Amino acid sequence: MLLCICLGSCNVTTPKEENTIELIGIHHIELTDLKPCINVSFNGTLAQKNTLSDLLESDDMKEFRVDKTNENFYKDGMYDNKDQTGSFIYGVNYTIVLNSLSEKDRISELLKEKDIPANINSNGYFVSPETNSTLQDKAFQKALANAKTRITAYADSLDMHAEIIGVEELDDYQLYPVDGIVYNDKLIKKIKVKAHLVED
């Protein structure tokens, strides 16, 4: 993707050595063998909350990665609903990393057996920090090579050569998720490269 080309200068007498070009180098990252994630959203009584906690810590869940993402509680009936019990209602969200998406049904059945009021939603894919770091390092080099190739081709078309003077990474948060969860199996690595165009 061509970001910008600056072939002008401060005045018309500036030599060609001061000409610069900036290009974006890209590399498509394809994630394979991903582990799907689900979000379990619970809203219920303290007893139900404890039942859910026991279930997620049980042997049935040992093969999964279970992370509590947030928890809150409020008093039932506090919002001018006088028909309620006045007991505390608890809300808890968990992210569970599965081995395959079919296991979502198994967890659904476990929740049903325990009579736990919870919703299950798909929630992206888990990528370990080690895997992500390796992917990013390789993708950086390939995106950089892509930019250099395009700059060289442009310089050659002008009978000039390019001298790299700046490299900048242009990634968004999705490429470095704090929680390890990405929401697409295809990502793009972007590198901005700046070069002087020098007359041969």
Side-chain angles (χ1 to χ4, degrees), residues 86-156:
S87 301
F88 280 103
I89 297 298
Y90 294 81
V92 188
N93 287 300
Y94 290 89
T95 294
I96 301 177
V97 179
L98 309 176
N99 297 304
S100 67
L101 197 55
S102 62
E103 292 170 326
K104 182 168 66 171
D105 293 334
R106 176 180 160 194
I107 292 175
S108 177
E109 286 300 315
L110 289 171
L111 293 170
K112 183 178 179 181
E113 288 173 10
K114 299 292 185 179
D115 195 26
I116 299 172
N119 295 320
I120 299 177
N121 297 294
S122 296
N123 193 39
Y125 307 94
F126 178 76
V127 180
S128 72
E130 296 79 16
T131 298
N132 192 36
S133 178
T134 299
L135 284 171
Q136 298 304 329
D137 290 345
K138 290 181 179 178
F140 180 94
Q141 294 300 328
K142 290 183 177 181
L144 180 59
N146 174 256
K148 287 181 176 179
T149 297
R150 297 177 65 211
I151 287 174
T152 298
Y154 183 79
D156 287 346

Side-chain angles (χ1 to χ4, degrees), residues 37-60:
C37 302
I38 60 172
N39 176 261
V40 174
S41 179
F42 162 83
N43 200 54
T45 66
L46 178 60
Q48 292 169 323
K49 170 181 170 292
N50 291 337
T51 300
L52 174 62
S53 179
D54 290 342
L55 170 63
L56 296 181
E57 294 174 5
S58 69
D59 289 340
D60 288 320

Side-chain angles (χ1 to χ4, degrees), residues 4-33:
C4 66
I5 300 176
C6 304
L7 295 178
S9 55
C10 295
N11 58 65
V12 295
T13 60
T14 302
K16 289 183 179 179
E17 285 79 3
E18 295 303 315
N19 294 338
T20 62
I21 181 174
E22 288 185 343
L23 284 177
I24 301 293
I26 63 172
H27 177 69
H28 293 272
I29 304 171
E30 294 201 12
L31 305 174
T32 59
D33 301 321

